[in-house]
Amino acid sequence: MSNLSPVDRAKFIAARRACDYVEDGMKVGLGTGSTAAWMVRQLGEMVREDGLRIKGVPTSSRTAHLARETGIEVISLDEAKWLDLTIDGADEFDGDLALIKGGGGALLQEKIVATASDRMVVIADAAKEVQALGAFPLPVEVVPFGWQTTKALVEETLAGVDVLGREATLRISGDGPYVTDEGNYILDLALRRIGNPWQTSLVLNQIPGVVENGLFVDVCDVVVIGRPDGVVEVRDVENGASTQRVDILGEDANLFADE
């Protein structure tokens, strides 16, 4: 691990700590993104080497492929019906554990899976924490039909919401629009600051053509924040504002030693 950047070290540490929440026999939602990928690999190692028995419900085709590669049994949400736990990353989180997600384009499946779980654990590096959401562009998934009209409606509607910006940009991949696993497009909203995430989410989802938005409010239960030095900070909504720091490198002091 000595060749990892400080940010990747932090992501790895957070992912490793979050795997402590996974118990034998659980049905686990598997998030999408660079931080979640560390978690999937770690769980796969626990399946192969420790005999952990879990069933994983992936939030994207990319995660499904990675989970199968690492040896995790993959099932659909319809097969699982309900999940014990979902572990996923975030693009931003605030002091209330409200999130912006969807930078990886999987916000719809991520939100469905997260809300079908007893608990949602978010893994992140410290740079993802903000005082107010909105610096990261807010992804909004829209149906392709009439997307330009939907875009105009979104920008018009934002005039009545407590945000600092209203510009919506169609996400591009290659020579055309980025297409989600569900066949939809994504608008990225440059809001700069979101004064009321709950209201903003509610208003956006009432616009015809909008499928879902990347604001996760009252969904996350725990945030695990990794740091490059191996220290993790755990924030649990059930314990109010309490925090704990766990130096997991104390158990394996040479985890990042040069080989």
Side-chain angles (χ1 to χ4, degrees):
M1 291 297 172
S2 59
N3 60 337
L4 290 180
S5 69
V7 170
D8 281 339
R9 289 189 185 199
K11 291 177 179 180
F12 172 83
I13 289 297
R16 178 172 168 176
R17 174 63 179 84
C19 288
D20 291 345
Y21 290 92
V22 179
E23 300 176 3
D24 200 54
M26 277 188 169
K27 291 179 285 187
V28 183
L30 306 174
T32 295
S34 59
T35 310
W38 285 113
M39 173 270 301
V40 174
R41 294 187 187 99
Q42 178 69 22
L43 285 178
E45 182 177 327
M46 294 165 66
V47 168
R48 297 190 310 272
E49 299 187 4
D50 303 331
L52 178 69
R53 295 170 298 171
I54 61 170
K55 295 181 179 180
V57 175
T59 54
S60 68
S61 57
R62 301 191 303 280
T63 298
H65 178 73
L66 178 61
R68 291 189 179 99
E69 272 192 339
T70 61
I72 298 173
E73 180 183 353
V74 171
I75 62 173
S76 70
L77 183 57
D78 286 334
E79 291 174 293
K81 294 184 173 55
W82 195 259
L83 305 177
D84 299 289
L85 176 71
T86 287
I87 305 176
D88 205 345
D91 298 302
E92 282 186 349
F93 68 93
D94 66 13
D96 295 323
L97 306 193
L99 320 169
I100 285 183
K101 291 181 50 57
L107 67 97
L108 177 58
Q109 291 189 26
E110 288 174 333
K111 189 173 281 190
I112 292 172
V113 169
T115 54
S117 305
D118 286 337
R119 299 184 84 191
M120 181 189 191
V121 175
V122 164
I123 46 181
D125 59 273
K128 301 296 175 60
E129 183 174 11
V130 294
Q131 287 193 339
L133 299 177
F136 190 91
L138 175 64
V140 175
E141 188 159 341
V142 300
V143 296
F145 176 80
W147 72 265
Q148 294 187 59
T149 299
T150 303
K151 174 178 176 293
L153 286 170
V154 166
E155 292 176 328
E156 179 181 341
T157 300
L158 289 172
V161 179
D162 183 11
V163 295
L164 292 182
R166 291 190 293 161
E167 182 182 1
T169 304
L170 180 69
R171 187 177 299 185
I172 300 296
S173 177
D175 297 327
Y178 175 89
V179 179
T180 70
D181 281 352
E182 302 301 319
N184 297 317
Y185 293 168
I186 287 183
L187 300 176
D188 289 307
L189 312 187
L191 305 182
R192 293 159 50 200
R193 183 190 63 80
I194 303 172
N196 188 328
W198 183 86
Q199 179 198 38
T200 302
S201 177
L202 183 65
V203 167
L204 286 172
N205 280 3
Q206 291 177 337
I207 299 172
V210 169
V211 179
E212 189 53 83
N213 70 84
L215 285 167
F216 284 53
V217 183
D218 296 329
V219 178
C220 173
D221 299 287
V222 178
V223 172
V224 178
I225 308 163
R227 305 186 189 281
D229 61 0
V231 175
V232 295
E233 182 178 347
V234 179
R235 300 186 190 175
D236 190 327
V237 70
E238 293 181 356
N239 295 322
S242 66
T243 61
Q244 67 179 105
R245 288 176 171 79
V246 182
D247 185 357
I248 65 174
L249 287 189
E251 304 170 3
D252 189 359
N254 63 356
L255 179 62
F256 294 124
D258 292 333
E259 298 177 353

